[in-house]
Amino acid sequence: MAELTYRDAVIRGIAQEMSRDPDVVFLGEDVAKAGGVFKATVGLYEQFGPLRVRDTPISEQAILGAAMGAAMTGLKPIAEIMFSDFFAVCFDYIANEFPKSRYMSNGQVKCPLVVRTGNGAGSRFGAQHSQSVENWCMMIPGLKVVAPSNPRDVIGLLAASVRDPDPVIFLEHKSLYPTKGEVPDGEIVDTLGTAKVLRSGKDATICALALMVPRALEAAEKLKAKHGIDCEVVDVRSLVPLDTQTILGSVARTHRLFTVEENPRLCGWGAEIVSIVADEAFYDLDGPPVRITTPHIPLPAADILEDIVLPTPDRIAETVRRSLQS
Amino acid sequence: MATAKDRAQAKAGSGLNDDIGEQKRLELYRTQVVLREAEQRAYDLFLQNLVKGTSHLSLGQEAVAAGFAGAMKPGDLSFCTYRGHAHTLARGVPVEKVLGELMQRDNGLMRGKGGSMHLTSVDHGVMGSYAIIGAHLPIACGAAWRAQYKGDKDVSVCFFGDGTTNIGAFHEALNFAAVWKLPVIFVCENNLYMEYTPIGDVTAVPQPAADRASAYGLERILIDGNDADVVYRAAQIAFDKARAGEGPSLIECLTYRQSGHSRADPAKYRPEGELDRWKLRDPIKIYRERLLQFGVAERVIADIDAQVRKVVDDATEACKAAPPPPLDIIATDVYADGGWAWRN
């Protein structure tokens, strides 16, 4: 067991898979000699060499297209798109190419690749370098979408993504890179499509993803300490496949559902979860499901503004308290 | 238009000589006739509402597909656009499989799940037909990267039209392939029209691909795309270069789309007389004369024509008799487990 940052867990996760399988290759902008703009790939170039860890031009379409061509013909590429906002300039591959090639070819074409990207707000970078784009990806049949909240999950879910035969969008949260967590020694391999109950409780279920997970846990502690409200916190971890059974099971115990989403409100993943719970567990509910999200606005750059728009532990706690006590 | 030097380069490879040999020439001829007959049939079937959706024909461009396919080795990979019937057939995919897909029957190449714009036959090295302009140039780079990384000797060939040279992915891929020295060949079929618009009206340079080559440190290669011998020779040079680890080539093939852009487009945007002038340089007409010049008997040529017509006739009847795809394939192969489950 060792304490590791989320950033170092990315390095260890990639290294674990590259050590295991020579067909795992890695490409992206500034990822090799420079060690990544977030220093999340430091040392990989030195460890695995210039044939396996490759710097690319600023050409996001070339990066994702090349990853796909390599995946179709036998490699297991990991491609980095520096900021998830840049998905917009290479979305053809994410929306049209990776996820549809298998279906359109009646199963002839395979596309086993991972796109890693820096997602989410908190860095005061403004509206084009801070977005949470998980919903852009979740809506596309054929993709898998993963977003870890802690160092151990980074390694385990990254390993599962690399070993998965389908295209996986792997969303690393930029604000989590410096955070630390306990990580066991040795190989770690997790399972896609599994949510985790991180805190048990009887009064309400709070579903959260990535940076919102530690915030939901902090809110739960405040609710317990100040108001005696006992919340269960579910780390959704994987939007596709979605572990609805863990969420439905939790709601069956607590009878209330809250989602905490960093994305702007419309068409957020929480809406899908609320819809599933309303369809399949309506009579388990003692009150309306509530979504806690960033408002439907572009993200502002200034710290004082950005801090207000993202769901905070206080806003989560206050929303849950008001809803349960009304 | 092409400069005098371009015309000289374009003609240089077309001189009579026997470097190609009769067996290869008969193969190149047969391939072109297969493409012509199958695509003409596809057009007729479209007018009968038996080919559904859309269809993009390469009538008049057969020499490009035949010349490159003739120079490929087993294991070489083709990446095509939605105008991909010809390149798919040229790799030896049966006519029935292609027409079946166009007719949306269960005997189609992808059982009707892809349609005319996405013809794919991995077993034949046809790694897909891509309907988003430019998308497949980076993908071909990736396949070439795999060959380079693993020490495989196959080459990836990426076919596209003149219109593709104005989209970003073209430029990203050319730079990427040149910097990484990838074994990939980019083949621009300049058929003079970007859908309905003359390519010259929307492009800053006269030769949309060849005039961009220098920007990526590549040789300017502009050839007569209506002469299968010229194409075949240019392809061989590019394959040799790629297999020797000397990097990518960009080849602009001057040709002409005798058909409309898609479906039953009558192509009324052409200037009067243009189609007739190009029909004088029809690739199959040129090649039939070439065979005669090399002493191939008219009877041999007529036999090939008749054999191909029978193949296409038989394929047409088989497709007409084939059932539509069964409903139980609607949700198969979304994910690698064969199904479509996104939740538990």
Side-chain angles (χ1 to χ4, degrees):
Chain A
M1 198 70 105
E3 192 173 60
L4 214 60
T5 61
Y6 189 97
R7 168 184 289 120
D8 288 340
V10 173
I11 299 170
R12 188 168 136 190
I14 297 172
Q16 174 185 299
E17 293 309 295
M18 292 190 79
S19 302
R20 177 186 61 83
D21 182 352
D23 286 341
V24 178
V25 289
F26 176 42
L27 78 169
E29 295 157 10
D30 292 329
V31 301
K33 289 175 192 162
V37 71
F38 300 113
K39 299 296 168 207
T41 59
V42 170
L44 294 171
Y45 175 78
E46 290 74 14
Q47 188 177 351
F48 297 101
L51 294 179
R52 297 184 69 189
V53 180
R54 299 197 72 162
D55 282 322
T56 68
I58 300 177
S59 300
E60 280 85 9
Q61 295 185 80
I63 294 169
L64 293 194
M68 177 169 170
M72 286 167 73
T73 55
L75 297 185
K76 300 273 292 179
I78 303 172
E80 176 177 312
I81 297 296
M82 194 183 286
F83 287 80
S84 64
D85 313 68
F86 307 167
F87 278 10
V89 298
C90 50
F91 207 54
D92 180 39
Y93 296 93
I94 295 168
N96 288 322
E97 311 299 346
F98 303 159
K100 295 181 171 66
S101 55
R102 181 182 292 275
Y103 184 85
M104 293 195 302
S105 68
N106 193 37
Q108 294 179 71
V109 172
K110 55 189 177 157
C111 193
L113 58 82
V114 178
V115 180
R116 291 180 43 245
T117 191
N119 193 48
S123 302
R124 294 42 170 125
F125 288 161
Q128 296 179 346
H129 285 69
S130 305
Q131 295 173 84
S132 291
V133 306
E134 49 271 26
N135 305 307
W136 299 3
C137 307
M138 187 188 186
M139 64 187 178
I140 299 163
L143 288 182
K144 292 178 177 172
V145 184
V146 178
S149 71
N150 61 78
R152 184 193 168 125
D153 283 0
V154 165
I155 300 172
L157 292 174
L158 186 59
S161 299
V162 171
R163 297 176 196 201
D164 196 89
D166 289 308
V168 180
I169 307 297
F170 192 83
L171 301 149
E172 296 162 14
H173 201 291
K174 296 193 289 290
S175 289
L176 290 174
Y177 279 131
T179 61
K180 291 180 178 170
E182 289 292 321
V183 174
D185 299 328
E187 185 180 82
I188 306 174
V189 187
D190 213 319
T191 308
L192 300 187
T194 54
K196 262 192 183 164
V197 177
L198 295 185
R199 184 188 195 284
S200 297
K202 59 179 177 31
D203 296 327
T205 295
I206 306 177
C207 289
L209 192 74
L211 179 66
M212 295 300 105
V213 172
R215 294 188 178 194
L217 286 167
E218 191 181 331
E221 292 306 318
K222 284 177 194 259
L223 285 161
K224 181 74 179 167
K226 287 190 190 167
H227 306 288
I229 295 171
D230 190 15
C231 292
E232 188 146 304
V233 175
V234 177
D235 183 348
V236 178
R237 304 204 310 158
S238 167
L239 293 177
V240 184
L242 184 64
D243 181 3
T244 60
Q245 294 311 309
T246 294
I247 295 165
L248 289 164
S250 178
V251 170
R253 289 188 292 275
T254 67
H255 311 294
R256 292 300 300 261
L257 172 66
F258 297 83
T259 64
V260 188
E261 304 158 61
E262 186 175 326
N263 45 257
R265 181 152 190 106
L266 299 191
C267 302
W269 55 264
E272 192 58 53
I273 287 179
V274 167
S275 151
I276 290 167
V277 169
D279 265 354
E280 300 173 28
F282 186 76
Y283 297 104
D284 284 339
L285 290 168
D286 285 345
V290 176
R291 294 178 59 211
I292 302 163
T293 73
T294 297
H296 207 66
I297 58 170
L299 287 168
D303 52 4
I304 191 172
L305 302 177
E306 190 183 46
D307 284 344
I308 288 173
V309 300
L310 302 188
T312 57
D314 283 341
R315 172 144 71 98
I316 299 164
E318 183 54 20
T319 306
V320 172
R321 185 197 62 77
R322 255 190 290 123
S323 188
L324 259 59
Q325 294 179 348
S326 66
Chain B
M1 277 313 296
T3 64
K5 189 179 161 218
D6 290 336
R7 281 193 292 274
Q9 184 182 5
K11 278 180 111 175
S14 63
L16 283 181
N17 62 51
D18 57 0
D19 63 321
I20 293 175
E22 183 170 309
Q23 194 183 348
K24 179 57 77 176
R25 280 213 172 83
L26 289 176
E27 176 197 320
L28 292 173
Y29 178 71
R30 178 188 293 273
T31 301
Q32 291 181 84
V33 175
V34 168
L35 309 191
R36 174 64 55 89
E37 292 292 329
E39 288 217 298
Q40 191 59 54
R41 183 61 51 86
Y43 183 74
D44 295 343
L45 292 166
F46 185 87
L47 295 182
Q48 295 167 43
N49 201 28
L50 287 168
V51 165
K52 308 209 183 129
T54 190
S55 160
H56 302 77
L57 305 178
S58 304
L59 295 173
Q61 303 176 209
E62 292 88 350
V64 178
F68 271 92
M72 287 183 193
K73 293 186 172 164
D76 288 333
L77 303 176
S78 303
F79 294 82
C80 319
T81 67
Y82 53 72
R83 198 177 304 286
H85 312 161
H87 296 293
T88 303
L89 290 164
R91 294 302 303 275
V93 176
V95 175
E96 182 190 330
K97 289 280 185 189
V98 171
L99 286 181
E101 189 65 25
L102 269 58
M103 292 167 74
Q104 308 187 350
R105 306 292 168 118
D106 196 34
N107 66 341
L109 200 48
M110 299 93 75
R111 302 184 76 189
K113 288 176 78 171
S116 75
M117 296 199 283
H118 299 290
L119 297 176
T120 304
S121 184
V122 170
D123 288 345
H124 293 85
V126 180
M127 299 307 288
S129 304
Y130 296 80
I132 307 296
I133 293 292
H136 63 315
L137 280 83
I139 296 171
C141 288
W145 174 31
R146 179 268 320 152
Q148 182 188 61
Y149 175 72
K150 298 192 66 109
D152 298 337
K153 281 293 166 199
D154 62 277
V155 175
S156 293
V157 187
C158 187
F159 301 98
F160 51 90
D162 41 275
T164 297
T165 64
N166 289 325
I167 204 162
F170 168 86
H171 298 276
E172 290 196 15
L174 263 290
N175 181 60
F176 190 88
V179 172
W180 286 27
K181 260 191 150 182
L182 296 174
V184 58
I185 303 172
F186 299 103
V187 182
C188 176
E189 297 182 70
N190 180 0
N191 64 21
L192 306 190
Y193 288 90
M194 177 214 89
E195 301 199 3
Y196 309 130
T197 302
I199 190 64
D201 290 1
V202 293
T203 308
V205 290
Q207 300 307 142
D211 288 345
R212 265 81 174 251
S214 66
Y216 305 105
L218 298 175
E219 184 188 351
R220 185 180 194 279
I221 304 174
L222 180 67
I223 64 168
D224 178 358
N226 276 20
D227 185 329
D229 282 359
V230 174
V231 175
Y232 176 70
R233 290 189 187 107
Q236 282 183 310
I237 294 168
F239 277 106
D240 288 347
K241 179 184 173 191
R243 283 191 233 280
E246 292 167 14
S249 299
L250 171 63
I251 300 172
E252 179 172 335
C253 305
L254 285 173
T255 183
Y256 190 76
R257 190 188 73 210
Q258 296 179 8
S259 45
H261 164 64
S262 66
R263 296 166 59 89
D265 167 27
K268 292 200 168 146
Y269 39 82
R270 300 179 202 281
E272 206 179 319
E274 184 180 80
L275 177 60
D276 292 336
R277 283 196 302 280
W278 276 94
K279 279 193 169 172
L280 296 174
R281 299 214 66 254
D282 180 273
I284 292 173
K285 178 175 173 295
I286 288 173
Y287 217 72
R288 212 169 263 149
E289 288 163 8
R290 180 76 37 79
L291 292 181
L292 293 170
Q293 282 174 304
F294 273 88
V296 174
E298 294 216 26
R299 180 186 47 77
V300 172
I301 298 172
D303 280 353
I304 291 174
D305 292 348
Q307 286 162 11
V308 170
R309 198 154 296 141
K310 177 160 178 7
V311 166
V312 174
D313 285 343
D314 290 351
T316 305
E317 292 314 308
C319 291
K320 283 180 177 171
L327 300 185
D328 63 10
I329 65 167
I330 285 176
T332 59
D333 290 317
V334 177
Y335 291 103
D337 63 6
W340 66 296
W342 54 272
R343 58 168 287 190
N344 61 7

